[in-house]
């Protein structure tokens, strides 16, 4: 693997990783201060719940930024347009994709540290596996400059994180019976289906039709490109099944409650 560590990368990579860590810390503190003043339920939480509440604040921000940047680079810009450049898609990158990868590594490092410090309160072994695979894949793409489009597609799946976090917030706030909890659950189901199931099918299909390009990169990169998204896809299907069961359970309770009121 050839590492393209030129003058720009020597500044951009460490700066973006550090920025990701600093932003996470700043948002954590901001979430703590704002929540303690604006949400009565926050002060009723135990210390571990408060840590998770604050932690989900910066995970939500990262998810929104990562999804927006990924969508722009893959769908709006001409960076990965087949006819816009002479280079093959697997070799295309930009300073913005490098920056986003660096910030994401900073985020995953911060979140992983918090998970380990409070293990398993903030997440179990599946979260360690998810974050480990994410950092490995993003780091490999950053160092090699290869497969940025596919990593951005995977990074776009973070768009479902705000719905997951809102579900948790409403749960600990004792708002599981409100309409927002139900609507958020439906949005989470639809978002997960599109971003983490259908998008992965599209990504693997695109990879299949550009297999010659994928095969042209270094050996570790090729097997990682095939293996890591496949492992993440399996986890996505597992979590999707849990989301589906949860939504069905919530809808069933709501229906029984409405029938009871009618009677």
């Amino acid at each position: 693997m050839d590492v393209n560590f030129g003058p720009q990368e020597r500044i951009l990579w460490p700066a973006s990783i550090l920025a990701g860590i600093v932003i996470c810390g700043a948002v954590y503190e901001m979430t703590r201060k704002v929540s303690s003043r604006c949400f009565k339920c926050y002060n009723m939480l135990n210390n571990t719940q408060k840590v998770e509440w604050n932690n989900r604040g910066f995970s939500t921000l990262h998810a929104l930024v990562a999804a927006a940047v990924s969508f722009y680079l893959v769908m709006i810009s001409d960076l990965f347009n087949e006819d816009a450049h002479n280079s093959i898609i697997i070799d295309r990158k930009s300073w913005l994709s490098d920056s986003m990868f660096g910030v994401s590594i900073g985020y995953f490092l911060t979140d992983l540290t918090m998970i380990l410090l409070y293990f398993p309160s903030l997440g179990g072994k599946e979260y360690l596996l998810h974050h480990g695979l994410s950092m490995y894949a993003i780091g490999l793409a950053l160092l090699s400059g290869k497969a940025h489009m596919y990593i951005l597609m995977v990074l776009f799946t973070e768009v479902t994180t705000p719905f997951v976090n809102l579900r948790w917030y409403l749960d600990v706030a004792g708002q599981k019976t409100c309409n927002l909890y139900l609507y958020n659950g439906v949005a989470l189901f639809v978002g997960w289906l599109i971003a983490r199931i259908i998008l992965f099918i599209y990504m693997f299909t695109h990879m299949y039709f550009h297999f010659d390009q994928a095969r042209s990169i270094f050996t570790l990169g090729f097997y990682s490109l095939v293996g890591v998204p496949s492992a993440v896809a399996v986890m996505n299907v597992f979590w999707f099944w849990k989301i589906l069961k949860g939504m069905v359970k919530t809808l069933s309770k709501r229906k029984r409650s409405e029938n009871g009121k009618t009677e």
Side-chain angles (χ1 to χ4, degrees):
M1 177 181 71
D2 295 326
V3 178
N4 183 21
F5 198 57
Q8 177 178 303
E9 285 77 15
R10 291 172 189 173
I11 299 174
L12 184 61
W13 293 356
S16 58
I17 294 173
L18 180 60
I21 296 172
V22 171
I23 291 170
C24 286
V27 175
Y28 181 96
E29 281 300 309
M30 188 182 302
T31 303
R32 181 181 65 82
K33 291 180 179 179
V34 172
S35 299
S36 63
R37 295 177 181 178
C38 299
F39 299 103
K40 292 181 180 179
C41 61
Y42 179 83
N43 297 314
M44 298 168 59
L45 303 176
N46 60 45
N47 289 334
T48 303
Q49 288 176 321
K50 287 180 179 179
V51 169
E52 184 165 3
W53 180 292
N54 303 334
N55 209 65
R56 288 178 182 270
F58 68 72
S59 76
T60 299
L61 177 64
H62 168 264
L64 293 172
V65 173
V69 172
S70 299
F71 183 82
Y72 168 75
L73 288 174
V74 175
M75 300 299 297
I76 299 177
S77 76
D78 66 351
L79 180 60
F80 301 109
N81 189 316
E82 297 263 10
D83 304 318
H85 304 277
N86 293 325
S87 60
I88 59 176
I89 291 177
I90 206 77
D91 288 341
R92 297 181 192 175
K93 54 172 281 186
S94 74
W95 68 268
L96 184 55
S97 61
D98 272 359
S99 300
M100 189 66 251
F101 289 168
V103 169
S104 292
I105 290 175
Y107 157 72
F108 282 117
L109 280 172
T110 305
D111 200 36
L112 185 60
T113 300
M114 297 296 290
I115 291 173
L116 290 172
L117 285 174
Y118 293 90
F119 190 82
S121 299
L122 303 187
K125 295 178 181 178
E126 68 274 14
Y127 284 88
L128 298 179
L129 177 61
H130 175 268
H131 282 30
L133 288 174
S134 297
M135 283 193 294
Y136 169 75
I138 293 171
L140 199 62
L142 185 62
L143 291 171
S144 67
K146 306 289 185 180
H148 278 217
M149 187 183 79
Y150 296 123
I151 301 303
L152 286 167
M153 285 184 180
V154 176
L155 202 54
F156 177 77
T157 62
E158 288 291 304
V159 73
T160 59
T161 299
F163 300 113
V164 175
N165 289 343
L166 180 56
R167 182 177 184 273
W168 185 88
Y169 283 135
L170 292 172
D171 188 3
V172 296
Q175 298 296 319
K176 291 185 70 172
T177 57
C178 71
N179 288 332
L180 180 58
Y181 187 87
L182 176 63
Y183 299 150
N184 180 72
V186 174
L188 173 60
F189 172 79
V190 174
W192 200 282
L193 177 62
I194 295 172
R196 292 185 181 258
I197 304 297
I198 296 175
L199 178 59
F200 266 71
I201 294 173
Y202 171 79
M203 182 181 68
F204 285 125
T205 302
H206 188 280
M207 203 180 297
Y208 173 79
F209 285 109
H210 295 80
F211 188 77
D212 56 330
Q213 294 189 26
R215 200 69 184 89
S216 69
I217 64 178
F218 57 101
T219 304
L220 178 62
F222 169 72
Y223 287 110
S224 298
L225 180 60
V226 174
V228 173
S230 298
V232 174
V234 171
M235 287 189 285
N236 285 341
V237 172
F238 170 72
W239 283 324
F240 182 67
W241 174 244
K242 294 181 70 173
I243 290 169
L244 176 60
K245 289 198 298 182
M247 188 180 72
V248 170
K249 183 179 179 181
T250 300
L251 291 173
S252 298
K253 285 184 177 179
R254 180 64 64 93
K255 188 175 182 180
R256 285 198 299 269
S257 176
E258 292 177 350
N259 289 339
K261 290 180 181 179
T262 303
E263 294 174 1

